[in-house]
Every structure is written in structure tokens, then in C-alpha cells.
Amino acid sequence: MISITEFQKLGAGVTAFGIFFIVFGVLLYFDTVLLAFGNILFLAGLAIIIGLRRTFSFFFQRPKLKGTSFFLGGVVIVLLRWPILGMTLEVYGFISLFRTFFPAVFGFLGAISNVPFLSTVLRNDDPLHAPPALPTSQCSA
């Protein structure tokens, strides 16, 4: 099992707060302050989780420079108070950067159906919530 340090737990929390502020900023009609704060927290949390060296090596790989430029350019555009254009650039850059992670994420989400309790909830096989049975006099044959 992979051990997670307290510092990485802190980074996960900072990243989660960043995602929360980004979603909340979008829900409040692209509030510039919330989006900028969410972007800064997301990038800081990512750097805390995997370290500065790995963060820079991830973002500045040759095949990922296009996605990095769009993502970081979108962050700068949001900081310059153009939130809709900035978020559009960020989304394109995020998809370009993390394209290789999407199959693993979808595989993980597909594996959730194998968890014992969740499989019954997802399939609605719960006998407590089953539809009532019709009396035999109302059944048509």
C-alpha cells in the first residue's frame, strides 16, 4: 500500500479547496476573484502533493507544452479579469495536459460498481425499495 505523508494530505486538501473555489466561481457567473483564488490553490496543492521538481517536469515536457501554455495562459487571463475567456483556455489546456489520465479515471469509476455495498445501490437490488408486488387477482395472464 502506498503511504501518504501528512504534507501530501495537506496538498490534497489545498487542491480540493482549489477545485471547490473554481466550481463555486463558475456557479456564481464566473466570479473573477473566486476563479483566481481557486486556480492559485489548485496549482499550489498540486505542487505540494507531487513536489516542485515533478510539477515543473510534468508541465514543461515537450509534448505537453501546448496544453501547459493554454492552461497557464488561462490562469493569467483570469487574473487579468477576463474570466470566461480564461476558463475556456484553462479547460482546453487541462484536457490537453491530463489526456493520458482519463482512461485510468474512467477505469476507476467503472470499478466502483464492484464494491459490495455500492453495487447494490447502483443496481437498485435493495429489497427495501423494491416495487410492491401486485395481488394475483390484478395480474393479467
Side-chain angles (χ1 to χ4, degrees):
M1 187 166 160
I2 299 173
S3 63
I4 298 175
T5 65
E6 293 296 320
F7 204 62
Q8 289 173 329
K9 290 178 186 177
L10 175 72
V14 170
T15 304
F17 272 117
I19 292 171
F20 170 76
F21 279 111
I22 289 171
V23 169
F24 199 55
V26 169
L27 290 176
L28 289 176
Y29 300 112
F30 293 95
D31 183 50
T32 307
V33 175
L34 289 174
L35 291 174
F37 193 59
N39 285 330
I40 292 168
L41 286 177
F42 177 76
L43 291 174
L46 188 65
I48 291 171
I49 290 173
I50 63 175
L52 286 175
R53 181 171 293 176
R54 286 185 182 170
T55 303
F56 283 119
S57 67
F58 173 77
F59 278 107
F60 295 109
Q61 294 175 6
R62 167 91 62 212
K64 295 183 180 183
L65 282 178
K66 179 178 157 186
T68 299
S69 62
F70 274 98
F71 184 75
L72 295 179
V75 170
V76 169
I77 299 283
V78 166
L79 290 173
L80 293 175
R81 298 192 169 266
W82 288 70
I84 296 175
L85 177 64
M87 287 305 294
T88 305
L89 294 174
E90 280 186 45
V91 167
Y92 178 73
F94 185 83
I95 291 171
S96 297
L97 279 171
F98 296 101
R99 180 178 295 151
T100 57
F101 294 113
F102 289 139
V105 170
F106 292 138
F108 172 75
L109 292 176
I112 287 179
S113 64
N114 295 332
V115 176
F117 175 73
L118 290 178
S119 63
T120 58
V121 171
L122 293 174
R123 285 184 302 177
N124 281 337
D125 287 345
D126 190 10
L128 297 176
H129 295 93
L134 293 174
T136 54
S137 61
Q138 294 180 357
C139 293
S140 61

